[in-house]
Amino acid sequence: MTGPRYTDIVAALPADVPFVGPEGMERDQGFPFAARIGANENNFGPSPRAAEAMARAASDVWKYADATNLELRVALAARMGCGPDQVIVGSGIDGLLGNLVRMVVAPGDAVVTTDGAYPTFNYHVNGFGGVLHKVPFRADDREDPDVLLARAAETGAKLVYLSNPDNPMGSHHPAAAVRDMVDRMPEGTLMILDEAYVEFAPEGTAPEIDPEDPRVIRFRTFSKAYGMAGARVGYGVGARDLIRTFDKVRDHFGMNRPAQAGAVAALGDDAWLDRVRAEVAAARARIGTIARANGLAPLPSATNFVTVDCGRDGTFARAVLKALLARGIFVRMPFSAPQDRCIRLSCGTSPELDALEAALPEALAEARGAETV
Amino acid sequence: MTGPRYTDIVAALPADVPFVGPEGMERDQGFPFAARIGANENNFGPSPRAAEAMARAASDVWKYADATNLELRVALAARMGCGPDQVIVGSGIDGLLGNLVRMVVAPGDAVVTTDGAYPTFNYHVNGFGGVLHKVPFRADDREDPDVLLARAAETGAKLVYLSNPDNPMGSHHPAAAVRDMVDRMPEGTLMILDEAYVEFAPEGTAPEIDPEDPRVIRFRTFSKAYGMAGARVGYGVGARDLIRTFDKVRDHFGMNRPAQAGAVAALGDDAWLDRVRAEVAAARARIGTIARANGLAPLPSATNFVTVDCGRDGTFARAVLKALLARGIFVRMPFSAPQDRCIRLSCGTSPELDALEAALPEALAEARGAETV
């Protein structure tokens, strides 16, 4: 008896699991983290109104969600200044990226992104047999619109990915630079503008884009500023034809019903959003202070995390990361050089940053000791 | 400016949305349904313990779920008598079917199912370019293992779908017949055993299957007996190699965190499950009584719905369905002949069945009147 006959694409995919979450790491190490500041979650939590709405909806969970997600799409359209038929709701930006890649990328098709940018996007492109062309970050640790555009033109890419603000570096481009990139897209290339962190960015980061512009789709999420990563609610804004095409492939009854009620409630609580922004700004500042006090260089951040330059190479930064993990501080770091000279610290609560502050000097000493051995 | 260049498969998919939910129908008709008995939801609701667990988890929703879903998989493994590494958790059976089809079906690959069986499975197969081979129901309105097997051998099918109990007919095979079908699978064909409704079926419906048997994967869900359709939690039990292969394509952080807490709690409340089963049995009996009182023939049901033979052809049954919808009774019906002589009524609450009882005579009179015109 033999097993299933997998497709050639799936048979060739790597079998190792690329995404290890903090729960898995806690199990492996045998103790819980004192600071959960590695996944860019929003440790200040969801709006109490959103939490209440989800709790209320729990007893209604016997009903499938509205397959059109209309209530949420109407609320989002009002917020985004577009029509509900220009909004697609999905299971986080991750889920929507999976749908979009499937819609556009056939085996062998070219896709352009930045080396070290969002790995889940690459996972989807590889998963559908696309060919990733990676360009380097700029010297200032920003994604590089000029080089992305040039590579897209050169490869005939179907998709180009830009996150603004950027993860994992925390850098951002002003709206005009993004706007300019849209206007220079090669014919037939779709730009994915991932704005997962945009609510944390300075005023003037999000460009004006006509939703009917066929050259770009913008993605946002309730996972970051709205503190609902575990709810799985993301959305895309784009041209009606593109939005309708998601209906050809998406899981129509795939959204969690309480999560949608929570998202609608969250949109109605701007005061909480403002409060989260203030907490995040304060935590960013404190992470910067802690880093500098330890001789490290925090990079400017337009997000809810601070990427900290450890001042040496990737080997050293990985040693710092490892020493922090061993001390109960869950953090992550960029994958590719030279960005892997850094570690990435999410904006935790005060007790979590206390734990970071206590652990960092020891972790650095250990990493420095390891290096001189 | 042109739009995105979709893949050939996606470009060729139909643009109409195949899945219209009750909320959409309510909006179209301008009034709410008095009875929501069309989607085989569990109108008796989730375990209060599950609802409490989800409500409690709402404030924790800022955390991504454990990417391995380990706690739930351990609980399911204990229930299913297998190892956690033989269990995959996903976004409902729908989501898991989408993953599995993607893993196995390349464009042009043969897949066998029953004409009129679960449409979402067909949606996924078409969505990945597979070729569906449909065999008829048996004369007794059961899916037909012999013909499914013969067609699988003839077409070299990569997948064969069997739901037991069956949707939309409510029929079932005893365990021995399913067991026999597994044992007769052609080499290299994977059987999908969809047991979404099995908790409602008579003792002796679910066969013993070695989880390592490479010829079959069984799927179950929290959407039906556990009353959590809107939570999106389904699971599959199969061989380790097959379960691991889901990790190559699935959305690793795609599960809703409160939903998993709810599912774990639901597994710990067998008393509620028993109560739901009793409510469903009583509602099934009452739907049968209502049908017979109106001269219609309820089919035997091993599920939480009753498929009712309206005694004429599809045109007549569609007229009955339409007349019920117009009276606020949300029901559905099988798509293909001769099963489309029936309408399908989910087990609603007493007030919902009161509404059905009141509306059915009028609906039938209207349908009969329409036919004689």
Side-chain angles (χ1 to χ4, degrees):
Chain A
M1 297 186 297
T2 56
R5 291 169 283 160
Y6 301 115
T7 67
D8 292 343
I9 291 174
V10 169
L13 289 172
D16 56 303
V17 175
F19 305 107
V20 181
E23 286 82 2
M25 297 167 79
E26 286 175 330
R27 283 189 295 265
D28 288 347
Q29 72 188 7
F31 60 92
F33 287 120
R36 184 172 165 126
I37 55 173
N40 299 345
E41 294 161 327
N42 175 346
N43 301 29
F44 307 103
S47 154
R49 286 199 218 167
E52 268 169 48
M54 286 184 275
R56 256 199 319 276
S59 52
D60 245 13
V61 81
W62 63 271
K63 298 178 188 173
Y64 289 101
D66 172 16
T68 68
N69 313 311
L70 188 67
E71 187 186 359
L72 178 54
R73 282 168 48 235
V74 165
L76 287 168
R79 170 70 60 122
M80 298 297 288
C82 65
D85 53 354
Q86 293 166 320
V87 179
I88 181 74
V89 164
S91 180
I93 294 179
D94 286 1
L96 290 165
L97 285 173
N99 290 152
L100 180 63
V101 169
R102 177 178 162 195
M103 284 153 56
V104 171
V105 177
D109 282 347
V111 173
V112 173
T113 187
T114 302
D115 189 16
Y118 194 46
T120 302
F121 177 64
N122 300 356
Y123 171 79
H124 289 309
V125 173
N126 290 327
F128 288 100
V131 177
L132 278 166
H133 298 269
K134 297 180 185 175
V135 308
F137 274 95
R138 281 195 339 205
D140 63 358
D141 294 311
R142 300 188 200 193
E143 297 181 20
D144 192 332
D146 292 336
V147 176
L148 288 164
L149 284 164
R151 187 66 69 91
E154 180 190 313
T155 59
K158 281 184 157 181
L159 296 173
V160 175
Y161 177 88
L162 183 87
S163 57
N164 194 55
D166 168 76
N167 172 29
M169 302 312 291
S171 62
H172 76 290
H173 290 286
V178 178
R179 176 70 260 175
D180 179 64
M181 184 171 169
V182 173
D183 289 333
R184 292 163 60 206
M185 271 294 123
E187 188 73 18
T189 303
L190 180 69
M191 175 171 163
I192 298 172
L193 176 57
D194 182 342
E195 296 186 322
Y197 296 94
V198 78
E199 293 89 352
F200 299 117
E203 198 67 29
T205 301
E208 290 264 330
I209 298 176
D210 177 358
E212 280 304 304
D213 192 321
R215 300 169 297 187
V216 59
I217 184 166
R218 71 200 305 167
F219 286 127
R220 294 192 183 180
T221 183
F222 287 85
S223 296
K224 304 299 178 187
Y226 290 97
M228 292 172 56
R232 313 313 302 135
V233 186
Y235 59 103
V237 175
R240 287 181 193 90
D241 178 73
L242 175 57
I243 296 301
R244 260 198 311 270
T245 303
F246 280 86
D247 279 343
K248 292 182 170 187
V249 301
R250 73 185 180 94
D251 186 0
H252 287 255
F253 292 93
M255 290 296 294
N256 180 282
R257 188 177 179 104
Q260 291 192 75
V264 170
L267 284 175
D269 193 356
D270 281 336
W272 183 262
L273 188 63
D274 288 342
R275 185 173 149 172
V276 165
R277 282 194 187 109
E279 296 268 22
V280 163
R284 270 194 314 229
R286 185 164 174 214
I287 293 171
T289 303
I290 294 169
R292 276 185 294 263
N294 285 274
L296 308 179
L299 306 187
S301 168
T303 65
N304 70 332
F305 59 87
V306 179
T307 301
V308 172
D309 188 336
C310 294
R312 304 193 196 177
D313 63 1
T315 305
F316 179 68
R318 275 185 288 278
V320 175
L321 184 90
K322 192 180 155 201
L324 283 172
L325 289 172
R327 285 164 180 76
I329 312 296
F330 168 52
V331 293
R332 287 192 176 133
M333 61 180 286
F335 291 127
S336 58
Q339 282 68 42
D340 67 354
R341 70 189 189 280
C342 303
I343 58 174
R344 193 193 69 181
L345 309 170
S346 309
C347 288
T349 58
S350 287
E352 290 174 302
L353 298 190
D354 291 346
L356 170 70
E357 188 167 30
L360 187 56
E362 286 179 40
L364 283 168
E366 182 174 306
R368 285 180 187 131
E371 211 174 41
T372 54
V373 169
Chain B
M1 297 186 297
T2 56
R5 291 170 283 160
Y6 301 115
T7 68
D8 292 342
I9 290 173
V10 168
L13 290 173
D16 56 307
V17 176
F19 306 107
V20 181
E23 285 82 2
M25 298 166 78
E26 286 175 334
R27 283 189 294 264
D28 288 347
Q29 72 189 6
F31 60 91
F33 288 120
R36 183 172 165 126
I37 55 173
N40 299 345
E41 294 161 325
N42 176 347
N43 301 31
F44 307 103
S47 155
R49 286 200 219 166
E52 268 169 49
M54 286 184 276
R56 255 198 322 274
S59 52
D60 244 13
V61 81
W62 63 271
K63 297 177 187 173
Y64 288 102
D66 171 16
T68 69
N69 312 310
L70 188 66
E71 187 186 359
L72 178 54
R73 281 168 50 236
V74 166
L76 288 168
R79 171 69 60 122
M80 299 296 287
C82 65
D85 53 354
Q86 293 167 320
V87 179
I88 181 76
V89 163
S91 179
I93 294 180
D94 286 2
L96 289 166
L97 284 173
N99 289 152
L100 179 63
V101 169
R102 177 177 161 196
M103 284 153 56
V104 172
V105 176
D109 282 346
V111 173
V112 173
T113 187
T114 302
D115 189 17
Y118 194 45
T120 302
F121 176 65
N122 299 356
Y123 170 79
H124 289 308
V125 173
N126 290 326
F128 287 99
V131 177
L132 278 166
H133 298 270
K134 298 181 186 175
V135 308
F137 274 96
R138 281 196 337 205
D140 63 358
D141 293 311
R142 298 187 200 193
E143 297 180 22
D144 192 331
D146 292 336
V147 177
L148 288 164
L149 284 164
R151 188 65 68 88
E154 181 190 312
T155 59
K158 282 186 157 181
L159 295 173
V160 175
Y161 176 88
L162 182 87
S163 57
N164 195 54
D166 169 76
N167 171 29
M169 302 312 289
S171 63
H172 75 291
H173 290 287
V178 178
R179 178 69 259 175
D180 179 65
M181 184 170 168
V182 173
D183 289 331
R184 292 162 63 205
M185 270 295 123
E187 188 71 19
T189 302
L190 180 70
M191 175 170 163
I192 299 172
L193 176 57
D194 182 342
E195 296 185 322
Y197 296 95
V198 78
E199 293 90 352
F200 297 118
E203 198 67 29
T205 300
E208 290 264 331
I209 298 176
D210 176 357
E212 279 304 302
D213 192 320
R215 299 170 298 188
V216 59
I217 185 167
R218 71 200 305 168
F219 285 127
R220 295 193 181 178
T221 182
F222 287 85
S223 295
K224 304 300 178 184
Y226 291 96
M228 292 171 56
R232 311 315 301 133
V233 186
Y235 59 103
V237 175
R240 288 181 192 91
D241 178 74
L242 175 57
I243 296 303
R244 259 196 313 267
T245 303
F246 280 87
D247 279 343
K248 291 183 172 187
V249 302
R250 72 185 182 92
D251 186 359
H252 287 254
F253 292 93
M255 291 296 294
N256 179 282
R257 188 177 178 103
Q260 291 193 76
V264 170
L267 284 176
D269 193 357
D270 282 336
W272 183 262
L273 187 63
D274 288 342
R275 185 173 150 172
V276 164
R277 282 194 187 110
E279 296 268 21
V280 163
R284 269 194 315 229
R286 186 167 171 212
I287 293 171
T289 303
I290 294 169
R292 277 186 293 264
N294 285 274
L296 307 180
L299 305 187
S301 167
T303 64
N304 70 333
F305 59 88
V306 180
T307 301
V308 172
D309 188 337
C310 294
R312 303 192 197 175
D313 62 0
T315 306
F316 179 67
R318 276 185 286 278
V320 176
L321 184 91
K322 192 179 154 200
L324 282 172
L325 289 172
R327 285 165 180 78
I329 313 295
F330 167 52
V331 293
R332 287 192 175 135
M333 61 180 287
F335 290 127
S336 59
Q339 282 67 41
D340 69 351
R341 70 189 189 279
C342 303
I343 57 174
R344 194 193 68 180
L345 311 170
S346 309
C347 289
T349 59
S350 287
E352 289 174 303
L353 298 190
D354 292 345
L356 170 69
E357 188 166 30
L360 186 56
E362 285 178 41
L364 283 167
E366 184 175 303
R368 285 178 187 130
E371 209 173 42
T372 56
V373 169

